[in-house]
Amino acid sequence: MNSLPDTPFEASASLDVRADFPALHQEINGRPLVYLDSAASAQQPQVVIDAVSRYQSHDHANVHRGVHTLSHRATDAYESARNRIRAFINAASLSEVVFTKGTTESINLVAQSFARPRLKPGDRIVVSHMEHHANIVPWQIVCGQTGAELVVTPIDERGQLDLEALDRQLDDRVAMLAIGHVSNALGTINPIADICRLAHERDIPVLVDGAQGVPHGSVDVAALGCDFYAFSGHKMFGPTGTGVLYGREALLEDMPPYQGGGDMILEVRFDGTVYNELPYKFEAGTPNISGFVGLAAAVDYLETIGMQRIARHEQALLGILTKRLGDIPGVRLIGTAAHKASVQSFVVEDIHPHDIGTLVDQQGVAIRTGHHCAMPVMQYFDVPGTARASLALYNDENDVDRLIAALDRAIRMFQ
Ligand code: PMP
């Protein structure tokens, strides 16, 4: 992201937005819920829930082809969501904003529709060792289909990308670089603008997995200079089943459709079908209309608070969380990069991460445990999994206190 400050240890003033999130106001196992699992899926503010409900209650119909009033309303709502999201990420035109069901679908679309027709045996696709499975497996599949080879950029013991190795790897055999903006397992922020410059000097297109980038700082795809940027609505306080693929118009224009069906065509004949213009060429079938209405409301909500404020708040809180966790005897922090966002993974000596997760849940604290869909990261650090606390704009120091107290208690039970 472009806006993260470098001041991780300043005091964390609460953004005071908890009241906006109804799911946070409940008891779990007799204790007020502390939600520290937003990297998996973020809670939704009331304005998002209301926008979806209002649309479902008053405006719902299928989009694009109807002449009746409700269809016009639904189309307006859906297309104005596209425009909100275009502005949010600073895409140049609406043609560059393809709606999908999530980051996973966005990456698969690029692998199949952009990479597959261009790849030949011996070509290379570069990914990093810290990628989520969604930014590994689609490339493995396309390598299997084409005879291309997957090359992995190493990371170091702090969970940082080895940029010198990447520089060496990006040679004329490389047809594509696919890299995460922020690692969901480690929290590492990769220097995407620099990486894109490096790749483009060698005419290598870059896809950025932005699933963990968009919720935590302002993302400007033009400033980053990437060719594709994929992200998910549910990580940015919107509904599940919504996602976005940003792609440069010239590249999208050249790509064949990913799926065929209604809405992605202009004319269908048995002797040949004419595909629709961008972005509809990539949106076959009835989309998740209410979901994107909700996502637009989430974008409005985030912009009202301000992405820079959110980034500053989360940085400060992450500094506090990391320090407090690191001070607990027996805790090993996994992911200690110089530039990080909103995630701290850790393991506790002699206690399985799942036991940690279960024990803190009994005290009302929700964290995620396991491999976080990043098994190669677990393999690198030689751990079966980690416990991971992830922060969002609604977390505050009280949440950190509650996690630390719950962990202390869990660890004492094993002594
Ligand atoms: N990439 C990263 C970095 C992620 O954190 C996630 C979700 N955990 C994904 C990709 C996949 O996102 P989705 O399941 O919403 O498609």
Side-chain angles (χ1 to χ4, degrees):
M1 60 221 52
N2 312 321
S3 70
L4 276 183
D6 273 339
T7 51
F9 293 104
E10 72 192 37
S12 162
S14 165
L15 285 178
D16 216 8
V17 295
R18 288 181 81 82
D20 299 341
F21 292 83
L24 298 179
H25 302 281
Q26 59 179 305
E27 296 208 335
I28 300 288
N29 296 322
R31 304 289 310 277
L33 168 65
V34 168
Y35 191 73
L36 293 169
D37 194 21
S38 299
S41 204
Q43 297 299 340
Q44 296 172 25
Q46 190 66 49
V47 285
V48 168
I49 297 164
D50 288 347
V52 171
S53 166
R54 211 165 34 243
Y55 166 81
Q56 300 283 37
S57 311
H58 298 288
D59 302 327
H60 175 64
N62 212 329
V63 287
H64 293 149
R65 293 167 303 279
V67 293
H68 61 80
T69 303
L70 285 192
S71 180
H72 280 303
R73 276 199 224 154
T75 303
D76 285 351
Y78 183 68
E79 290 305 329
S80 73
R82 197 188 307 278
N83 199 32
R84 290 295 295 114
I85 289 154
R86 183 204 62 72
F88 186 59
I89 58 168
N90 195 28
S93 82
L94 293 170
S95 304
E96 297 190 323
V97 180
V98 177
F99 283 166
T100 65
K101 64 185 167 68
T103 308
T104 303
E105 188 177 46
S106 298
I107 297 174
N108 277 279
L109 192 166
V110 176
Q112 288 301 313
S113 192
F114 178 75
R116 188 176 179 182
R118 285 171 173 74
L119 289 173
K120 55 182 189 322
D123 284 351
R124 293 183 157 189
I125 295 174
V126 176
V127 298
S128 89
H129 205 115
M130 71 175 86
E131 299 309 311
H132 186 282
H133 298 162
N135 203 24
I136 299 173
V137 184
W139 306 113
Q140 288 178 323
I141 291 172
V142 81
C143 283
Q145 290 162 332
T146 61
E149 186 193 342
L150 196 69
V151 173
V152 181
T153 307
I155 56 175
D156 66 18
E157 67 288 348
R158 293 179 71 182
Q160 302 173 129
L161 198 63
D162 182 342
L163 289 167
E164 284 173 16
L166 179 65
D167 189 16
R168 284 193 301 277
Q169 287 170 330
L170 292 181
D171 60 23
D172 57 11
R173 290 170 293 183
V174 176
M176 181 97 213
L177 168 64
I179 183 91
H181 196 167
V182 176
S183 155
N184 68 310
L186 299 167
T188 311
I189 303 172
N190 286 318
I192 294 298
D194 294 342
I195 290 172
C196 287
R197 254 192 309 279
L198 193 70
H200 288 160
E201 279 165 13
R202 297 155 203 193
D203 289 331
I204 298 167
V206 183
L207 172 134
V208 179
D209 171 353
Q212 301 292 342
V214 171
H216 303 296
S218 63
V219 166
D220 177 332
V221 290
L224 289 175
C226 55
D227 299 286
F228 299 100
Y229 194 96
F231 58 102
S232 297
H234 69 103
K235 313 251 190 215
M236 51 186 287
F237 318 99
T240 53
T242 60
V244 177
L245 173 66
Y246 158 79
R248 278 188 207 278
E249 190 164 345
L251 300 181
L252 291 175
E253 203 62 76
D254 251 13
M255 289 158 56
Y258 175 52
Q259 295 182 323
D263 233 28
M264 51 73 72
I265 50 82
L266 289 177
E267 188 183 8
V268 176
R269 303 173 63 90
F270 284 118
D271 58 3
T273 284
V274 182
Y275 303 136
N276 206 341
E277 60 199 27
L278 290 175
Y280 311 109
K281 182 172 75 174
F282 294 109
E283 295 182 11
T286 302
N288 182 356
I289 309 164
S290 65
F292 287 101
V293 169
L295 187 56
V299 165
D300 285 342
Y301 178 79
L302 287 171
E303 290 202 319
T304 305
I305 296 168
M307 294 312 295
Q308 306 249 1
R309 266 183 82 209
I310 292 169
R312 270 197 303 275
H313 166 70
E314 291 182 6
Q315 277 295 297
L317 200 55
L318 179 68
I320 293 164
L321 170 69
T322 305
K323 165 117 189 38
R324 302 273 313 268
L325 278 174
D327 285 347
I328 300 177
V331 165
R332 172 185 167 206
L333 301 177
I334 306 281
T336 52
H339 295 284
K340 285 192 57 183
S342 296
V343 167
Q344 188 59 60
S345 271
F346 59 96
V347 288
V348 184
E349 212 170 79
D350 300 330
I351 313 180
H352 195 279
H354 287 320
D355 292 333
I356 292 286
T358 305
L359 288 169
V360 301
D361 179 63
Q362 284 167 6
Q363 299 169 71
V365 179
I367 60 172
R368 186 144 295 248
T369 56
H371 54 65
H372 315 295
C373 296
M375 283 187 184
V377 171
M378 304 304 129
Q379 289 148 14
Y380 175 84
F381 285 97
D382 197 21
V383 291
T386 71
R388 179 188 74 182
S390 57
L391 303 168
L393 72 173
Y394 37 64
N395 293 116
D396 58 21
E397 278 193 64
N398 178 53
D399 294 341
V400 175
D401 289 344
R402 286 277 312 278
L403 169 66
I404 300 298
L407 266 176
D408 275 342
R409 207 160 150 200
I411 291 169
R412 264 185 278 122
M413 287 175 72
F414 276 80
Q415 283 167 344

